[in-house]
Amino acid sequence: MTSLKEICRGLPLNPLPENKGRRKGIPHAPVRTPNLTAQEKKLALRNALRYFPPEVQKKLAPEFAEELRLYGHIYMYRFFPDIEMRAYPIGEYPCKTKSAAAIMLMIMNNLDPSVAQFPQELVTYGGNGQVFSNWAQFWLVMHYLSEMTEEQTLVMYSGHPLGLFPSHPRAPRLIITNGMVIPNYSSRDEYEKMFALGVTMYGQMTAGSYCYIGPQGIVHGTVLTVLNAGRRYLKAEDLSGKVFVTSGLGGMSGAQAKAAVIAGCVGIIAEVDEAALLKRHKQGWLMEISDNLDHCIARLREARKNKIALSLGYHGNVVDLWERLVYELDKTGELLVDLGSDQTSCHNPFNGGYYPVQLGFEEAKQLLSTDPGKFRSLVQESLRRHVAAINKLADKGMFFWDYGNAFLLEAQRAGADVEKKGANKTEFRYPSYVQHIMGDIFSLGFGPFRWVCTSGDPKDLATTDSIAMSVLEDSIRKGVSTSVKQQYHDNIRWIREAGRHSLVVGSQARILYSDQRGRVSIAVAINRAISEGKIKAPVVLSRDHHDVSGTDSPFRETSNIYDGSAFCADMAVQNFVGDSFRGATWVALHNGGGVGWGEVINGGFGLVLDGSKEAEERAKMMLSWDVSNGVARRCWSGNAFAYETICQAMKENDTLRVTLPHKVVDENILEQAVKQ
């Protein structure tokens, strides 16, 4: 078994490790079909072999060529590390700075088999969210981090470590960009080719920025989404006996079952991959599994009648489930579902993110590699059936929303009936969950703030939970608006439930949604607890890029921006740049995310709290910008919550000055001007 010290020595070349190929017993990424020409295959091999000295290239070239032929990408399986991949306590990493050790911890957590979706292909979640493009990059990055000082910055180009460059202590220790392809060439087909060539990669959101904390993050987001969907659509605070139907239990979608139970409803989640169902059941996140639709309907009725919180995984295609619910409606007149959504990786529908209902799982995977054109055709037919069933149920009172996975966008491209008459390009028959459910919450400055206790000690996590609850409760006592108070209460409830529901997978991490005031106050309180010895080791702060200012995504995060700027990416880029010089330990900027390649630009950060006064000042400055940037943009686009929030922020900080929009012009004035 390889040690952490050995992992940090650089590429193992003398001797070369044994090539064990793809390992059995773990899930693997779908085979890619980049359709490279002979010359492009040579280029892909040349690019991969650049990492190795000439004396080993002759041995490696044939096996790399075989990987490219079999899997559509060169992962370098020979260099898959023989180590228990997990987040080790920070003190165990060989390093010259704690910041570097924290990054190493976060990288290994992203690749932990209990966290990662396809660990041997370096995919953390979403079907194609890469940490690195190949295993050579992992070894080189770990080596660079072990050698890094506080006067160096490591620069990452789409998984490739460009190297350590002279810097200064207040600069980020790590700068990451993923998929920064020239806009005219940022298409899916071009991506498949460039990824196969090894020159770019899809970092999703927190996969390629090393900030994923397992599905706990999306459990929390889904809990808040379902609770607020109940308030908006069902006018209900209590979701007992309400039924939520969705699909996906693989990567981030694996959180849906646990979220349904915490929200108190009946959750029925379809999943075609039995391995994903068994993984969630073993984790205790999924209560029951069945491949029998008769049984699923019977359990749904029973739990609905008795108001029992239930998470039931249906091993089968969600289209079959939706169509069965339509059949029950037609036969009995009974609408058995109240809320519906989808969390398949539909941003990647033709490469394993969505499986067609016409074929079984294994048969579909085979077709994907042998006849991708036929696979694409079946996927689009399946999407049309999928939407047709949802439409019938929605016409009778079921409320459906797009969960930001490009489901409605891909359904529209497939010819499904999702059109909304008179709508703009970001609107469909059903809303994005941002448009109807989470958009105003973002505009208040709330978003997925998270932290990782690098000691690995659950007691430290419990301490931070207590600190976070105390901070939010204290803010409520001091006085906040009604809308902010409701969100604080939801998150206090979440922290209490999180402790009871064993939500830690991988690193000792926690997430909550908080606004600017809450994030800064929690960060300062945690930093002081480290200084006082109440927490044993540094704490890493980060967030999902899916946040108030981290992401420009016209079909998700910024789908409620109606001033015409929804397709502009200034906010995410400014967020990345602004965080970098205000104190972030590392920053990341990505093309692509939860809605797909070329559809979004997103930025994220990591910030190490070590108990020092400097760390406190960094947190205050950086976290304020990280939130205010997005609130100010939403204010300018006309959101009333954002306007009030940014005005309050300016009252509290005399160095903050935001350009405020004037009140919306009377519609009659606009009409008369246009007629002229």
Side-chain angles (χ1 to χ4, degrees):
M1 184 70 75
T2 307
S3 68
L4 285 174
K5 186 175 289 187
E6 289 169 311
I7 286 288
C8 293
R9 286 177 182 162
L11 278 166
L13 300 173
N14 189 20
L16 285 172
E18 179 186 357
N19 184 12
K20 298 180 180 179
R22 276 197 172 196
R23 305 219 172 154
K24 295 181 180 179
I26 59 173
H28 288 285
V31 173
R32 296 179 176 277
T33 53
N35 298 317
L36 301 183
T37 65
Q39 284 301 113
E40 288 167 339
K41 290 175 184 176
K42 286 183 182 179
L43 182 56
L45 282 170
R46 182 180 294 114
N47 290 344
L49 290 169
R50 289 182 298 182
Y51 289 103
F52 303 94
E55 57 267 25
V56 300
Q57 290 181 5
K58 187 175 181 180
K59 186 176 183 67
L60 295 177
E63 67 188 55
F64 287 175
E66 182 75 349
E67 286 185 16
L68 187 61
R69 183 182 69 81
L70 291 176
Y71 311 121
H73 188 73
I74 300 170
Y75 295 106
M76 305 184 186
Y77 289 121
R78 177 186 288 272
F79 296 96
F80 182 63
D82 182 24
I83 190 172
E84 183 186 353
M85 191 69 73
R86 61 182 176 86
Y88 291 84
I90 193 170
E92 296 184 22
Y93 289 93
C95 64
K96 296 179 180 178
T97 166
K98 288 293 184 185
S99 295
I103 298 167
M104 294 157 89
L105 179 155
M106 299 291 281
I107 288 172
M108 293 189 73
N109 185 67
N110 266 28
L111 293 169
D112 181 337
S114 69
V115 173
Q117 187 178 12
F118 305 125
Q120 216 179 350
E121 287 76 45
L122 303 112
V123 172
T124 300
Y125 66 89
N128 60 350
Q130 303 287 147
V131 182
F132 301 110
S133 182
N134 59 57
W135 284 105
Q137 294 171 349
F138 168 82
W139 288 89
L140 290 170
V141 167
M142 296 298 280
H143 174 65
Y144 277 133
L145 290 170
S146 71
E147 293 292 314
M148 174 191 285
T149 71
E150 287 287 330
E151 296 189 346
Q152 291 173 306
T153 292
L154 175 60
V155 178
M156 299 292 299
Y157 278 17
S158 289
H160 170 68
L162 198 65
L164 289 172
F165 290 81
S167 188
H168 59 85
R170 291 189 63 83
R173 300 278 67 80
L174 176 65
I175 302 286
I176 303 167
T177 53
N178 284 312
M180 289 292 109
V181 173
I182 302 300
N184 277 355
Y185 303 91
S186 190
S187 68
R188 280 191 182 137
D189 290 342
E190 291 286 354
Y191 169 72
E192 287 299 326
K193 186 167 289 188
M194 286 187 279
F195 181 60
L197 292 175
V199 295
T200 196
M201 77 173 203
Y202 190 79
Q204 265 282 356
M205 290 188 155
T206 51
S209 65
Y210 322 144
C211 290
Y212 190 56
I213 60 167
Q216 179 189 164
I218 193 64
V219 172
H220 177 247
T222 307
V223 167
L224 292 187
T225 301
V226 173
L227 287 175
N228 284 289
R231 289 170 182 144
R232 180 181 180 102
Y233 299 133
L234 308 178
K235 311 302 180 190
E237 286 288 338
D238 181 2
L239 295 182
S240 300
K242 304 300 182 183
V243 177
F244 173 48
V245 171
T246 182
S247 57
L249 285 167
M252 294 183 72
S253 59
Q256 296 183 105
K258 177 63 77 173
V261 172
I262 293 175
C265 63
V266 180
I268 313 295
I269 307 97
E271 171 59 59
V272 294
D273 186 353
E274 186 178 24
L277 285 152
L278 294 174
K279 179 178 180 179
R280 299 309 175 197
H281 188 262
K282 184 178 178 181
Q283 287 174 336
W285 290 37
L286 183 63
M287 294 165 68
E288 299 177 17
I289 297 173
S290 176
D291 61 1
N292 185 301
L293 276 173
D294 289 339
H295 176 75
C296 289
I297 296 300
R299 286 292 289 130
L300 184 160
R301 281 196 165 101
E302 179 185 3
R304 184 169 175 251
K305 178 181 178 181
N306 296 315
K307 297 189 175 182
I308 298 170
L310 171 69
S311 58
L312 172 60
Y314 167 56
H315 181 206
N317 197 291
V318 72
V319 179
D320 287 328
L321 176 58
W322 282 119
E323 290 180 343
R324 176 58 183 269
L325 290 165
V326 171
Y327 171 79
E328 294 295 328
L329 175 65
D330 291 341
K331 184 178 74 170
T332 68
E334 188 177 15
L335 180 66
L336 294 176
V337 54
D338 302 284
L339 301 170
S341 192
D342 185 89
Q343 268 200 36
T344 55
S345 294
C346 211
H347 67 279
N348 186 35
F350 310 124
N351 286 285
Y354 180 99
Y355 284 91
V357 67
Q358 304 92 327
L359 302 175
F361 181 52
E362 294 301 328
E363 189 182 1
K365 285 201 297 183
Q366 181 67 24
L367 184 66
L368 174 59
S369 62
T370 59
D371 191 347
K374 177 66 173 176
F375 183 87
R376 176 188 289 255
S377 176
L378 290 178
V379 163
Q380 292 191 318
E381 180 186 322
S382 185
L383 282 166
R384 291 193 292 271
R385 281 176 56 181
H386 196 153
V387 168
I390 288 168
N391 287 349
K392 288 179 181 178
L393 295 165
D395 287 344
K396 297 297 182 180
M398 186 266 292
F399 295 92
F400 184 88
W401 68 87
D402 184 301
Y403 216 140
N405 61 339
F407 172 73
L408 292 179
L409 180 62
E410 290 303 329
Q412 180 191 56
R413 289 168 175 168
D417 181 14
V418 294
E419 182 184 355
K420 179 180 179 181
K421 292 180 180 178
N424 63 39
K425 288 192 292 184
T426 65
E427 293 182 291
F428 300 98
R429 178 171 180 166
Y430 304 105
S432 155
Y433 76 118
V434 173
Q435 288 172 318
H436 271 196
I437 303 169
M438 301 302 289
D440 287 343
I441 294 172
F442 280 165
S443 295
L444 290 166
F446 282 84
F449 182 58
R450 54 177 61 155
W451 60 89
V452 174
C453 297
T454 66
S455 66
D457 189 339
K459 292 179 182 176
D460 276 356
L461 184 61
T463 300
T464 60
D465 282 350
S466 178
I467 288 170
M469 281 195 293
S470 295
V471 166
L472 297 185
E473 287 166 348
D474 187 55
S475 293
I476 291 171
R477 282 193 295 271
K478 290 178 179 177
V480 291
S481 69
T482 301
S483 50
V484 169
K485 184 177 181 179
Q486 182 182 70
Q487 297 308 314
Y488 277 176
H489 277 308
D490 281 352
N491 281 280
I492 291 168
R493 169 185 172 179
W494 157 257
I495 291 287
R496 291 187 178 126
E497 291 290 334
R500 290 199 288 263
H501 280 270
S502 302
L503 292 170
V504 169
V505 176
S507 59
Q508 292 293 319
R510 186 66 74 222
I511 182 173
L512 56 75
Y513 268 47
S514 188
D515 58 355
Q516 177 180 321
R517 179 191 296 178
R519 297 188 213 200
V520 172
S521 299
I522 291 169
V524 169
I526 288 176
N527 192 61
R528 289 177 182 174
I530 297 168
S531 176
E532 295 163 4
K534 296 175 182 176
I535 298 172
K536 292 185 263 320
V539 170
V540 175
L541 302 182
S542 71
R543 56 164 168 74
D544 194 342
H545 299 197
H546 163 68
D547 199 0
V548 54
S549 69
T551 299
D552 283 298
S553 178
F555 296 101
R556 193 164 86 174
E557 283 81 0
T558 47
S559 60
N560 65 334
I561 300 291
Y562 298 118
D563 66 351
S565 70
F567 292 89
C568 300
D570 301 74
M571 180 178 71
V573 175
Q574 290 282 4
N575 180 265
F576 162 81
V577 174
D579 284 356
S580 70
F581 65 75
R582 286 181 173 86
T585 308
W586 71 94
V587 288
L589 186 68
H590 299 177
N591 169 16
V595 295
W597 183 261
E599 304 285 0
V600 51
I601 299 293
N602 65 86
F605 75 87
L607 175 63
V608 177
L609 299 177
D610 60 7
S612 66
K613 186 65 177 175
E614 182 187 9
E616 179 175 320
E617 292 307 312
R618 284 173 178 247
K620 288 178 179 177
M621 184 176 295
M622 199 221 77
L623 293 174
S624 295
W625 162 253
D626 196 64
V627 176
S628 288
N629 172 39
V631 176
R633 191 265 179 97
R634 284 168 166 76
C635 162
W636 190 249
S637 72
N639 185 281
F641 285 113
Y643 187 95
E644 293 172 12
T645 300
I646 205 68
C647 287
Q648 182 61 36
M650 284 195 287
K651 288 180 183 177
E652 296 172 0
N653 184 348
D654 59 10
T655 63
L656 175 64
R657 287 289 180 272
V658 174
T659 306
L660 296 175
H662 291 288
K663 297 297 182 182
V664 177
V665 177
D666 186 278
E667 195 70 25
N668 291 328
I669 297 176
L670 299 179
E671 288 287 346
Q672 291 173 13
V674 170
K675 285 178 181 177
Q676 288 179 353

